[in-house]
Structure formats: structure tokens, C-alpha cells
Amino acid sequence: MALRPALTPVVAALPTMVPFVGPEAQERERGRAFRARLGANESGFGPAPSVIAAMRDAAPEMWKYCDPDSFELRRAFAAHVGVKSTNVVVGEGIDGLLGLVVHMMVSEGTPVVTSLGAYPTFNFHVAAVGGRLVTVPYENDRESLDGLLDAVRRENAPVVYLSNPDNPMGTWWEAHELVRFMDALPETTMLLLDEAYIELGPKSAMTPIDVSRPNVIWFRTFSKAYGLAGIRCGYAVGEEGFIRDCEKIRNHYGVNKMAQVAGMAALEDQVYLAEVTTKVAAGRRRIAEIARDNRLSPIESATNFVTIDCKADGVFAQKVLRELIERDVFVRKPMAPVLDRCVRVSVGLDHELDIFAEELPRALRAAAGS
Amino acid sequence: MALRPALTPVVAALPTMVPFVGPEAQERERGRAFRARLGANESGFGPAPSVIAAMRDAAPEMWKYCDPDSFELRRAFAAHVGVKSTNVVVGEGIDGLLGLVVHMMVSEGTPVVTSLGAYPTFNFHVAAVGGRLVTVPYENDRESLDGLLDAVRRENAPVVYLSNPDNPMGTWWEAHELVRFMDALPETTMLLLDEAYIELGPKSAMTPIDVSRPNVIWFRTFSKAYGLAGIRCGYAVGEEGFIRDCEKIRNHYGVNKMAQVAGMAALEDQVYLAEVTTKVAAGRRRIAEIARDNRLSPIESATNFVTIDCKADGVFAQKVLRELIERDVFVRKPMAPVLDRCVRVSVGLDHELDIFAEELPRALRAAAGS
């Protein structure tokens, strides 16, 4: 074989993998569209009409580069959470921001602590720089604060990842419990607190943002409650020195101009947000009901999805998943041991949940029979 | 001082810098808006009406995550340049794609060859991973093919960056000269060929895309001729194995859904593209005329800007730049030795070029007198 340009040793050793297979790829493979899109924790309620209007108005302006400082956006986000603009960095969704922080803090062999079965895109970023993932099993379907703390101490890890509320289980910790966790964390360990779903759960789960802590970063996004998954806009909040350090390697033109417009408009429409959170709560109740009607156990959720215990092993839940997909219902499932007994169903529109209600018993029968 | 989480040694050693200060930041500092936006090589002609319509139609769909495979977009780009989808990867503009390839191929100490004064965002990405930049001076305001080749051989560099047509000088190499360069390149050196401006120059500068070469990547963007700088959509074309390797660390949701829609629509409207390239050529002639009217020397350009030799040193050109900005004309200038005797003026709308024509003589007089 001819010589060719070499990849870095870290990248050369990586498998070709993707954190998620998109529903579009599944539709192409199946040769037909899903009837219910309930797998990616998107918001079928969509962005606010005010946000749609703002995007439409901005379309002719897309010839301009975005403001690389995201000045107005940062000011708006800062005001929203009660900090200064210098405590805020914007990014291409939480995905992009997690990648940024990982590239700032993790290099070959750096131990990084997360939960076994937590957000795969974070793990993907860690792998990209050759970090060493240390995983801690969930406990009673929640990420284990004690377990994470033990692992951090044992490994002297500079980074620990935690989502609250959690994905893929939908469970959460109350703010006071998380504050205790933060207090106990070594000061040389950075907590990446992924709050992608925070607007959808109880207020009591919302940890007060305290930028005097130099070792906690809060991550927020417009992908979930705000209904803008496709626009890639998120922000991170933290201590000023760390936020300034982000400038060293940040992709300054990464958040596109349409995302800046949409994020700004979305934040301004808190009335719409309140309507959506109410609808999401109703959707969660409906999914839980459907689960119970089929003698399954819904896990209480603070997110826009409900993870359903199928009351058997991972093999059975995988069959349920496959049967739902066969019936044109796009859902996903946790893959880690113990969690893998579940399927995960996002809140969707009423007619989509009707389809789920209709197809779940059939899928269960087929899974049991196969 | 209290202990805090550590950055990687590479990132810790980096200065806090940005490749570009946006015009918005300058406007905030000055307390007033620019009257002519001629500094960032954007297209004031804007995106095609068909593209604006497509973006408007798509706005309500932004609740969905983008297709992480960009399946249709890749197919369209591939058809456009006559390769297979498996030869194409999409990214957040050329910036994002350069970052991707740098992270794949460059680690601490890796020598990377570029021209002294070439695209700073590429250098920024190389610095982020601790690569060692080896810079080659321009020759007669063109990137030096012989010089780059010598440096590559001397340093045994796995990566060399070249833009054709060039930014910031606007000059170019004919395709047959570049093919000779490619042929001479060691097979272990990857050429990153940045063709951001390729649609705007002579056809003879367009190197035939040949994906049987495993050591050349062609980069294209919608930021320039297509008038979509704000949308962050670009693509890279290369040998299938390398493109597949991109999946190992690529941000799969990085190109947002609006960018996918806009890129697709833009590619379809080649009539509009032809109109814009005609207008850009007229704008270049106008800028050159204005320069000559002021006894300056415009450099022949294959891009959407004209770099103007101010016929003195870098200090003088810097004064001219400052005086133009004082007069609300946003322009930029090359900073590297020799090139720094110039200012760079993007093609804009007629009324903006009128303002430039009016203000340039005043700026020159003020610069000469200061």
C-alpha cells in the first residue's frame, strides 16, 4: 500500500463511530418515514411563533458573519441567569461546549469521570483527545453522587460530568444535594453540570448558579424546552477566569448568525416557554399512563421524555425497541447494564402519543413472542 | 491563590487571542455603525432570493435535530463536483473543517507549513493542539509554491495549507501549476487546499478535484460567492479513506439544520451565483479604479476583494486603515511583513463603494499628514 499522510496516534487508534444514528438514517434504511418521532428528546411543539418570525426576518441578513463575540446574546443569557457577560460563553449547543471544555482540560491519558450509560457525545469528545473514561454505575436509576465523588478522588480526575436532570433516565437530584456534592468536590476537579433539561423539571432541582466557584460549569441549551434542537445554540456559565480561557481555542464563528437570532428571541419569550413546559408535563403523564396500562413501570422524569422499565432484561427491551421501530415509532433506549431494561420515549404531539399508545401493546406482544 | 482545575499544558501556554476582531466589536467601541461594510469579504449582494425563501420555509422545522449524516447535502455537493458522497464531509464553514483536520493530524510539536500572513484561523487551530507553525514568505504577493515545497521537505511536515485564490492578497495560481505542486508533494504530506473564493476567479484557477490523491483535501464554502457567511456551511472533498476517518472525531451535529437547508438551496441556484460573480467582477474593477485614481496600486484579484498597495510601508498602510475606519469605512489589512504595505477592500454594494471612493482620498491625506 502506498504511503499516506498520518493521523495523530490518538485519532489513528479510534474506531469510526457516531454517538447517535439519526432517525433520518433509519428512515432511509427502512425506506419509509416514522409516524411518530419520539426518540431524540426534541420538542415537537416547536420553537415559539415569535422565534420563527425572528428567524424569517433575519434570513436576508445571513450574508454577514456572526458577531464572533456574541456580545448581545451573552448579555441576554447573563441577565437571564443573574451573572455578568464575562461569566458566559456561547457554543454550538451543549455538544459544542462540552467539546470545547474537553479540549481545554483533557489530553492523552487524563482520567475523566462520568456515569456508565450517560451522555455518549461527551464520551466521544473525551475519546477524541485520548482521555481515559472512568465510569460509575447508576444507583436506583440515578447518577450516583457518592460514586462519582469516590471515583474523582480515587483517580484524581480533573473533570467530572453530570447531567441534572439526567439523560437517559430522566431522574434528578435536588439542588441542595448537588450543592453538597459541589462542596465536597476537590477544588482541582471541574464539574461539568449539563442542565439541558433544567427548564422542564421542578424548580427545586435548579442549582443556584454561583460563579464564585471556579470548579463548576453550568451548561444550558435551546435544543430542548425552547424547541430549537436544529439550530445549535447553547451557553455555559462559570467563573470569569475559566470563561476567558475559553477564548484560547474557541471556534469564534461556530454559533451561526441564525442561531444567535433564534437564541435571543427564544429567551425573550418566556410565556411560550411556560406553555411548553405545561404541555411537556402533560405529555409525561400521558406516556406514564400508557406504560402503566401495559403493565410497565414509567420512571418519574424531570425532562421531556419518560424512560420506561420494561420489567425484564436488556434483550427484551431491545426487542420492544425494534418492534416499535418496525411499527414506525421512533424511540431509543439506554444501553448500559441495568438501565438497558428500559426504553425511552420523548414527549411528542398528541397524535404521536396516540400512535405510541396503539402500537406499544402490539410491540410488547411481538417482543414476548419472538 | 486557591487551587483550581488545570488546563492541558498546551492550552495553558496559549495566549487569549482571537483570529479576528468583528466589525460589531469595533462599532461598539466607536459608538457608531459603519457606513460601508467592506472588511470581511462577505457578499453584500446577499444569498439568493430562492435561498432566503428556503430558510424562511424551514424556520418552523428547527425543533428537529439536523441529520447528523448530512446525507442529502453530501449527495448534492458530491454531484456538484463530480465525486461520490463518500468523498465529501460537511462542516461549520471552512473554519470548522480546518479545525477538524488539524485535530486529526496535528499534535504537540507537529510541523505544519503555511505562508507567512495567510489565513489566521488555520494558525489558531494549529496552536490549539500545540502544532509548530512553519511559515514561508509570499513571493511577489503570491503564496510561494516552491517555498512551501521546500519547507515541507525540510521539516518532513504532514500538513501544508494553501489557499487558492489567496486571502489576504487575492492572487492565485493556475490549475496546472498547482497540479505540478501536488505531484511534487511527498505522499506523506496532506495538502489542505482552501478554495473559499474559487467560484469568483478564472476557471483556469480551478484545480480538477481528483479523489484518487490521498494527500489533497479541497475545501469549499457558502460564505463567499453564495452570500452565506453567517450560516456556517462548507464542505471538504478528498479520498474516501480520509473522509471516513473524519467520522472518528467530527462534531456530527455541528452543521445546523438551517445551514443544511441554505447550503442545499444555494447550490441549486447557479443562475444567481453567475449573477453575483458578474457583479463581484464589476466591483473589483471599480475598487481598482478608485485605487488608481488615488495613485495607489491595486493587486489583480480572483476573489471578492481587492488588496491595494499603498506604496509605502506598513506603518503608512496602518494609518490609512485607521483613517478609513474613523470615516466609518470597515476594511482590513494584511499584517505580515511586505504584505502589510496594503489595505484590503471587499466588494460591496454600489453605495458602499461610493463612500469608499469619497473617503479614500481624505484618509490618504490624513495618513500622510499624521
Side-chain angles (χ1 to χ4, degrees):
Chain A
M1 192 174 148
L3 286 171
R4 50 169 58 229
L7 303 181
T8 69
V10 167
V11 175
L14 290 175
T16 303
M17 58 86 79
V18 295
F20 292 107
V21 176
E24 294 80 8
Q26 295 181 54
E27 289 178 334
R28 284 190 294 271
E29 195 181 308
R30 293 152 20 95
R32 65 182 195 279
F34 284 115
R35 289 184 294 146
R37 188 170 165 122
L38 305 174
N41 302 343
E42 299 157 326
S43 177
F45 307 111
S50 62
V51 175
I52 294 171
M55 288 192 279
R56 286 179 167 157
D57 285 351
E61 297 300 307
M62 289 305 122
W63 62 272
K64 293 180 192 167
Y65 281 105
C66 58
D67 173 11
D69 299 316
S70 290
F71 181 84
E72 295 189 15
L73 204 54
R74 284 166 64 213
R75 189 162 60 178
F77 295 163
H80 183 67
V81 297
V83 299
K84 292 193 289 184
S85 289
T86 46
N87 296 115
V88 177
V89 59
V90 303
E92 310 87 334
I94 291 179
D95 280 5
L97 289 161
L98 288 174
L100 171 63
V101 173
V102 164
H103 280 84
M104 289 168 68
M105 304 193 66
V106 181
S107 49
E108 212 175 334
T110 305
V112 174
V113 174
T114 184
S115 299
L116 180 63
Y119 193 48
T121 301
F122 176 70
N123 301 356
F124 180 77
H125 289 312
V126 172
V129 294
R132 182 167 59 81
L133 277 173
V134 178
T135 54
V136 176
Y138 279 60
E139 248 177 59
N140 301 320
D141 297 328
R142 290 207 292 183
E143 299 195 50
S144 166
L145 295 184
D146 290 341
L148 291 168
L149 203 54
D150 284 350
V152 160
R153 287 178 178 145
R154 191 179 64 240
E155 301 281 349
N156 195 18
V159 178
V160 55
Y161 172 88
L162 175 71
S163 60
N164 193 58
D166 170 71
N167 176 22
M169 302 310 282
T171 52
W172 72 97
W173 290 98
E174 293 291 312
H176 67 91
E177 295 166 308
L178 267 182
V179 168
R180 207 161 49 208
F181 176 77
M182 291 176 186
D183 288 341
L185 211 58
E187 49 193 333
T188 49
T189 301
M190 184 70 90
L191 167 61
L192 311 186
L193 183 59
D194 182 341
E195 297 192 326
Y197 298 94
I198 198 71
E199 298 88 356
L200 296 160
K203 289 269 176 293
S204 58
M206 202 180 277
T207 313
I209 289 184
D210 175 3
V211 294
S212 73
R213 291 183 186 271
N215 66 339
V216 181
I217 312 278
W218 285 259
F219 294 88
R220 299 278 179 91
T221 183
F222 290 86
S223 296
K224 303 300 176 187
Y226 289 99
L228 286 165
I231 214 74
R232 314 316 296 135
C233 187
Y235 58 105
V237 183
E239 187 261 344
E240 199 170 303
F242 186 84
I243 297 297
R244 195 169 43 236
D245 283 339
C246 293
E247 296 303 305
K248 293 179 170 193
I249 64 165
R250 188 171 69 87
N251 185 2
H252 289 80
Y253 291 86
V255 175
N256 84 7
K257 196 174 182 71
M258 194 62 95
Q260 291 180 332
V261 167
M264 192 77 149
L267 199 67
E268 277 167 14
D269 200 337
Q270 294 291 314
V271 172
Y272 182 79
L273 180 72
E275 287 168 20
V276 167
T277 55
T278 303
K279 286 183 194 168
V280 167
R284 281 197 305 251
R285 285 192 297 272
R286 174 92 199 276
I287 295 170
E289 220 172 76
I290 296 168
R292 279 188 296 260
D293 286 349
N294 287 277
R295 267 156 283 156
L296 306 180
S297 290
I299 295 168
E300 202 180 346
S301 166
T303 67
N304 67 353
F305 61 85
V306 178
T307 298
I308 300 172
D309 182 345
C310 293
K311 292 191 155 169
D313 60 6
V315 175
F316 178 71
Q318 183 66 42
K319 284 182 188 168
V320 175
L321 181 86
R322 198 189 59 215
E323 293 295 337
L324 284 168
I325 286 172
E326 287 266 314
R327 286 164 175 77
D328 303 337
V329 178
F330 168 51
V331 291
R332 286 198 173 121
K333 72 180 292 300
M335 298 306 287
V338 187
L339 314 185
D340 65 354
R341 73 193 193 283
C342 302
V343 296
R344 194 193 69 180
V345 182
S346 310
V347 171
L349 301 182
D350 286 343
H351 77 271
E352 294 178 294
L353 296 186
D354 291 346
I355 293 168
F356 174 64
E358 198 177 299
E359 297 296 350
L360 179 61
R362 294 174 187 160
L364 287 168
R365 271 196 303 275
S370 70
Chain B
M1 192 172 146
L3 287 170
R4 50 168 58 227
L7 303 180
T8 69
V10 167
V11 175
L14 289 175
T16 303
M17 59 85 80
V18 295
F20 292 107
V21 176
E24 294 80 8
Q26 297 181 53
E27 289 178 333
R28 285 190 294 270
E29 196 181 308
R30 294 151 21 94
R32 64 183 196 278
F34 284 115
R35 289 184 293 145
R37 188 170 165 122
L38 306 174
N41 303 342
E42 297 157 327
S43 177
F45 307 112
S50 62
V51 175
I52 293 171
M55 288 192 279
R56 286 180 167 155
D57 285 352
E61 297 300 307
M62 290 305 121
W63 63 272
K64 292 180 194 168
Y65 281 105
C66 58
D67 173 11
D69 299 316
S70 290
F71 181 84
E72 296 189 15
L73 205 53
R74 285 166 64 213
R75 188 162 61 179
F77 295 163
H80 182 67
V81 297
V83 299
K84 292 192 289 185
S85 289
T86 46
N87 296 114
V88 177
V89 60
V90 303
E92 312 85 333
I94 292 179
D95 279 5
L97 289 161
L98 288 174
L100 171 63
V101 173
V102 165
H103 281 84
M104 289 168 69
M105 304 194 66
V106 181
S107 48
E108 215 175 330
T110 305
V112 175
V113 175
T114 184
S115 299
L116 181 63
Y119 193 49
T121 302
F122 176 69
N123 301 356
F124 180 77
H125 288 312
V126 172
V129 294
R132 182 166 59 81
L133 277 172
V134 178
T135 55
V136 176
Y138 279 61
E139 248 177 59
N140 302 321
D141 297 327
R142 290 208 292 183
E143 298 195 49
S144 166
L145 296 184
D146 290 342
L148 291 169
L149 204 53
D150 284 349
V152 160
R153 287 178 177 144
R154 191 179 65 240
E155 302 281 348
N156 195 17
V159 178
V160 55
Y161 172 87
L162 175 71
S163 60
N164 194 59
D166 170 70
N167 176 22
M169 301 311 282
T171 53
W172 71 98
W173 290 99
E174 293 291 313
H176 66 93
E177 296 166 307
L178 266 182
V179 168
R180 208 160 48 207
F181 176 77
M182 291 175 186
D183 288 341
L185 211 58
E187 47 194 334
T188 50
T189 301
M190 185 69 89
L191 167 61
L192 311 186
L193 183 60
D194 181 342
E195 296 192 326
Y197 299 94
I198 198 70
E199 299 88 356
L200 296 160
K203 289 270 176 294
S204 58
M206 202 180 276
T207 314
I209 290 182
D210 174 4
V211 293
S212 73
R213 290 183 187 272
N215 66 338
V216 181
I217 312 279
W218 285 259
F219 294 88
R220 299 277 179 92
T221 183
F222 290 87
S223 297
K224 304 300 176 187
Y226 289 99
L228 287 166
I231 214 74
R232 316 314 295 135
C233 187
Y235 58 104
V237 184
E239 186 261 345
E240 199 170 306
F242 185 84
I243 297 297
R244 194 169 45 235
D245 283 339
C246 293
E247 297 303 306
K248 293 179 170 194
I249 65 164
R250 188 171 69 87
N251 185 2
H252 290 79
Y253 291 86
V255 175
N256 83 8
K257 195 173 183 72
M258 194 63 93
Q260 291 180 332
V261 167
M264 191 78 150
L267 199 69
E268 277 167 15
D269 199 338
Q270 294 291 315
V271 172
Y272 182 79
L273 181 72
E275 288 168 19
V276 167
T277 55
T278 304
K279 286 183 194 170
V280 167
R284 281 196 306 250
R285 285 192 297 273
R286 174 92 199 276
I287 295 170
E289 219 172 75
I290 296 168
R292 279 189 296 261
D293 287 349
N294 287 276
R295 268 155 284 157
L296 306 180
S297 290
I299 295 168
E300 201 179 347
S301 166
T303 66
N304 67 351
F305 60 85
V306 178
T307 298
I308 300 174
D309 183 344
C310 292
K311 292 192 156 170
D313 60 5
V315 175
F316 178 72
Q318 184 65 41
K319 285 181 186 168
V320 175
L321 180 86
R322 197 189 60 214
E323 294 294 339
L324 284 168
I325 286 173
E326 287 267 314
R327 286 163 175 79
D328 304 336
V329 179
F330 169 51
V331 292
R332 286 196 174 123
K333 72 182 291 301
M335 299 305 287
V338 188
L339 314 185
D340 66 353
R341 72 193 193 283
C342 302
V343 296
R344 194 193 70 180
V345 182
S346 309
V347 171
L349 301 183
D350 286 343
H351 78 271
E352 294 179 294
L353 296 186
D354 291 344
I355 293 168
F356 174 64
E358 199 177 297
E359 297 297 351
L360 180 61
R362 295 173 187 162
L364 287 168
R365 272 196 303 276
S370 68

